[in-house]
Amino acid sequence: MREHLARIYAPVSEDMYDIATHAPGPAGRLPLTAKLLREAPSGHLFGWTQNVGMGWRPDRLLGPEVLILSTQGGLRAEDGTPLALGYHTGHWEVGLLVRAAADELRSLGAIPFAAAVSDPCDGRSQGTPAMFDSLPYRNDAAMVLRRLIRSLPTRQAVIGVATCDKGLPAMMMALAAMHGLPCVVVPGGVTLPPTRGEDAGKVQTIGARFAHGEITLEEAAEVGCRACATPGGGCQFLGTAATSQVVAEALGLALPHSALAPSGQPIWEAIGRQSARAVLRLIEQGWSTRDIVTDAAVRNAMAVHAAFGGSTNLLLHIPAIAHAAGCRVPTVADWTEVNRAVPRLVSVLPNGPVHHPTVRVFLAGGVPEVMLHLRRLGLVDTSARTVAGCTWDEVLDWWEASERRARVRQRLAADGVDPDDVILPPEKARARGLTSTVTFPVGNIAPEGAVIKSAAIDDSVVDEHGVYHHLGRAKVFTSERDAIAAIKNGDIQAGDILVLIGRGPSGTGMEETYQLTSALRHLPFGKHVTLITDARFSGVSTGACIGHVGPEALCGGPIGKLRDGDWIEVRIDRVRLEGRIDFVGEGDRRYTPEEGAAVLAARPPHPGLAPDPELPDDTRLWAALQAVSGGTWRGAVYDVERILAVIQAGQKALDG
């Protein structure tokens, strides 16, 4: 044991024991006044003491204090090489944006503070129990971010730097709740695609493709190495990370044309400095988040989501942001109305029709370019304000004739890409057959509804009327591990309906099942398989994948009563944005949807249905709290008043 301890504490240098026991302290004087000493909280005064203790000059203590929050992860050396890795590229470089904002604030006489709440990677946690913490983490992070803001009582504004699937929604929830503070979101940008290779979505299928002989070991090793072609930024597709950046901008919380910038490049780093100037201007104007995140802003975000063809996970996050802001929380009916009215205009990974990476969307003009088209169609409220200190009308008037717009579009054209083939004018989108983004099917399997990104169903399995129809037998799984094994070993075949149950909030924290959707997308038979689950999907998922089925299986939902061999009928109308998923038979018997509902009601739950044995207690608590608050269709939020009422009623019942 002594030798072991000696190895831990060796080597020893003499200067280790040259230990100072006092120091002179900072030079100068705090800018105190008699009024401050008599009236200011002691925390304010001690805060100044700590500020100069950290090296801030005493004569510069009177500037406005701005808190910069980020999701930074990992530890980079000055030259960018890793000293300690982050969980993902999305938070790896955002510290550069924090520094750029801080430098600009300092140069303008403000006092920047910085703190970080890092975030997980949904890609890294696919197919593992780590996914059980993914969605619950969002609420936890939003709470911690809010506590950090409140814990700096002298802050006059907040800048939030974030990028990816849960960190950015959490940041938006936190800032939206700061009703009286000026707040600006800085989207952390995107990584570049490899010059030759696969994007970060497709590369996640190398295991399934290898198992089916679609790719060799050598090919898998090579494309797996190259997919993240640059070290920072969210993935190259319009998944949840990229869609969240777009939504932050559409809400007015981020500067116009800041979403989807290429991480690490000068135009990206400049957004940090520009956001610092913007937040100081908001202080001068007296504008706070209450003036930015309004019912009109939420509606604009929904419209832009539809025009981009965004991730279905934003159906969880936009209602949560609206709830935090005290705005009207959108319903399924609202989402359907918006998606029926708003044409999809963006051709991007994963929806297509051409799979442009997200950096091309930025160069084609990003959110302002899309909103120009939507303004002409009368589909956005351009009187809504933005953190640029003006309305969307003023922003779009500037954007249309701006040098910035001309230069970025010219840069894209230099690569041989027409910007209007990435962000399509409405008439061109219509001619190309771009369909609306999401459909909300119902039926006896999903009486409370479900969701499918109908825009991403393979065109070859949709009829001339825009209808996807599949009548097939169910293969039912109660774990994602078993389902992916079935795909890899050939037990799932064309024509099957893969049903995954017990994976909603109560079973797994509503895990994201991209392992399954990506495998089906990139295997030749996958477009002929329908997936139905009470779990959710990655934003990069494509195909006939129906998720968010409600009620979830573990809360008595009919989906939890399905069995292998059951006949299921799926019909999705991509034009009318209507759909049904119904149990319609067993064995040789066929049922109407009404008869099928009665049969399911009389059945016991699937014998394998149970919460995942590795479900953490933290996630069980999250699931219960969000269920009481209205569940996933209200954004999986914590409605404090509702939760307190249920606790009080329960306490009374226990007390008798």
Side-chain angles (χ1 to χ4, degrees):
M1 179 58 72
R2 288 182 180 179
E3 291 177 358
H4 172 65
L5 291 171
R7 282 196 300 272
I8 291 174
Y9 287 97
V12 175
S13 61
E14 272 308 308
D15 60 0
M16 276 180 51
Y17 297 108
D18 185 10
I19 302 169
T21 58
H22 55 83
R29 300 165 61 87
L30 299 182
L32 295 170
T33 64
K35 181 178 175 63
L36 280 171
L37 288 171
R38 289 193 181 98
E39 299 178 7
S42 65
H44 287 16
L45 304 178
F46 184 55
W48 275 0
T49 297
Q50 293 199 83
N51 293 351
V52 297
M54 288 182 278
W56 199 261
R57 280 171 36 189
D59 61 344
R60 296 193 60 193
L61 284 171
L62 295 176
E65 297 184 4
V66 178
L67 173 59
I68 309 172
L69 292 172
S70 80
T71 56
Q72 180 177 352
L75 186 63
R76 301 168 70 256
E78 284 298 316
D79 64 357
T81 56
L83 301 176
L85 293 170
Y87 288 15
H88 54 83
T89 60
H91 63 215
W92 176 246
E93 290 185 329
V94 296
L96 298 175
L97 289 171
V98 173
R99 174 172 286 189
D103 285 345
E104 188 69 14
L105 291 169
R106 289 173 68 244
S107 73
L108 295 172
I111 306 170
F113 289 75
V117 179
S118 197
D119 53 356
C121 175
D122 282 358
R124 187 179 291 272
S125 57
Q126 290 295 335
T128 77
M131 182 53 73
F132 303 167
D133 287 295
S134 173
L135 184 56
Y137 166 89
R138 184 206 65 178
N139 289 16
D140 296 343
M143 287 195 293
V144 173
L145 289 165
R146 288 194 297 267
R147 290 187 188 279
L148 284 172
I149 295 168
R150 293 191 295 264
S151 296
L152 185 65
T154 51
R155 77 282 182 266
Q156 293 170 255
V158 183
I159 296 173
V161 186
T163 304
C164 280
D165 293 34
K166 301 305 175 300
L168 182 48
M171 186 70 75
M172 289 190 280
M173 289 167 63
L175 299 192
M178 297 297 116
H179 303 153
L181 278 178
C183 298
V184 175
V185 167
V186 184
V190 298
T191 188
L192 296 184
T195 305
R196 287 178 51 256
E198 297 181 354
D199 66 86
K202 184 175 182 179
V203 82
Q204 293 181 53
T205 69
I206 52 178
R209 285 184 288 150
F210 176 76
H212 281 266
E214 297 288 322
I215 190 171
T216 67
L217 177 60
E218 292 73 18
E219 289 168 336
E222 184 175 342
V223 297
C225 186
R226 205 161 41 212
C228 294
T230 51
C235 294
Q236 308 105 330
F237 46 78
L238 193 78
T240 305
T243 308
S244 295
Q245 294 186 42
V246 164
V247 163
E249 191 176 325
L251 281 167
L253 270 176
L255 281 177
H257 201 233
S258 59
L260 313 182
S263 181
Q265 298 192 40
I267 197 168
W268 167 87
E269 196 163 356
I271 296 168
R273 296 190 296 274
Q274 294 156 359
S275 298
R277 294 196 288 272
V279 84
L280 293 179
R281 174 64 176 152
L282 292 176
I283 294 173
E284 293 174 4
Q285 289 177 283
W287 286 17
S288 69
T289 304
R290 183 185 294 111
D291 301 301
I292 306 294
V293 187
T294 61
D295 288 345
V298 172
R299 187 79 173 190
N300 284 347
M302 295 169 69
V304 171
H305 174 274
F308 267 80
S311 163
T312 54
N313 280 318
L314 271 295
L315 275 65
L316 295 165
H317 301 320
I318 288 178
I321 295 162
H323 175 266
C327 296
R328 180 179 175 275
V329 176
T331 64
V332 170
D334 295 323
W335 283 106
T336 301
E337 178 187 343
V338 166
N339 277 270
R340 283 177 175 159
V342 176
R344 182 164 61 93
L345 303 177
V346 181
S347 182
V348 64
L349 277 165
N351 304 333
V354 178
H355 293 151
H356 294 292
T358 42
V359 67
R360 290 184 181 172
V361 180
F362 175 78
L363 294 174
V367 172
E369 195 70 21
V370 169
M371 289 192 76
L372 269 181
H373 293 306
L374 296 183
R375 178 171 71 167
R376 293 176 189 132
L377 296 173
L379 293 172
V380 285
D381 186 339
T382 52
S383 69
R385 295 176 176 182
T386 77
V387 294
C390 53
T391 66
W392 270 111
D393 250 334
E394 294 167 303
V395 166
L396 296 178
D397 288 344
W398 161 78
W399 172 256
E400 194 162 20
S402 68
E403 179 187 11
R404 185 181 180 95
R405 179 184 185 232
R407 294 289 295 273
V408 295
R409 286 167 66 85
Q410 287 168 7
R411 176 64 191 87
L412 183 56
D415 278 354
V417 179
D418 182 350
D420 287 343
D421 284 337
V422 179
I423 297 176
L424 286 71
E427 59 280 2
K428 194 171 187 178
R430 195 178 309 112
R432 293 275 182 88
L434 271 69
T435 56
S436 297
T437 300
V438 292
T439 298
F440 297 92
V442 293
N444 63 28
I445 293 173
E448 290 182 359
V451 67
I452 179 172
K453 190 193 283 188
S454 46
I457 301 175
D458 192 296
D459 290 339
S460 67
V461 294
V462 177
D463 70 18
E464 67 274 17
H465 304 295
V467 174
Y468 172 78
H469 179 246
H470 185 182
L471 175 65
R473 287 184 179 271
K475 290 186 176 176
V476 182
F477 299 88
T478 58
S479 82
E480 187 191 15
R481 183 181 298 109
D482 291 343
I484 191 64
I487 291 173
K488 288 183 177 180
N489 66 26
D491 289 344
I492 299 296
Q493 300 172 358
D496 288 340
I497 293 184
L498 193 164
V499 181
L500 179 63
I501 64 174
R503 313 311 280 182
S506 301
T508 65
M510 203 177 191
E511 68 181 353
E512 187 179 273
T513 57
Y514 183 59
Q515 253 200 137
L516 306 181
T517 60
S518 62
L520 293 173
R521 166 69 178 82
H522 292 288
L523 292 172
F525 65 87
K527 64 184 178 181
H528 300 292
V529 175
T530 299
L531 170 59
I532 302 173
T533 182
D534 52 4
R536 62 191 175 91
F537 301 127
S538 166
V540 73
S541 294
T542 58
C545 305
I546 301 168
H548 299 220
V549 169
E552 63 171 309
L554 285 162
C555 288
I559 189 175
K561 298 182 177 183
L562 295 174
R563 301 289 194 275
D564 283 347
D566 283 344
W567 287 98
I568 295 176
E569 185 171 26
V570 176
R571 186 180 295 273
I572 307 295
D573 188 326
R574 299 202 303 180
V575 177
R576 302 178 65 182
L577 300 188
E578 298 173 347
R580 290 192 63 90
I581 48 172
D582 290 300
F583 162 68
V584 293
E586 52 187 328
D588 295 330
R589 303 186 65 182
R590 293 291 184 273
Y591 305 126
T592 66
E594 293 73 23
E595 291 169 339
V599 172
L600 287 178
R603 272 188 185 177
H606 189 285
L609 183 63
D612 193 283
E614 296 187 76
L615 184 69
D617 284 346
D618 298 332
T619 300
R620 291 177 59 210
L621 180 59
W622 165 85
L625 294 175
Q626 66 86 36
V628 165
S629 303
T632 55
W633 292 112
R634 288 199 76 239
V637 298
Y638 297 156
D639 185 329
V640 174
E641 296 303 323
R642 175 68 177 161
I643 292 168
L644 291 177
V646 170
I647 290 174
Q648 290 165 4
Q651 189 63 55
K652 286 181 181 178
L654 288 173
D655 292 344

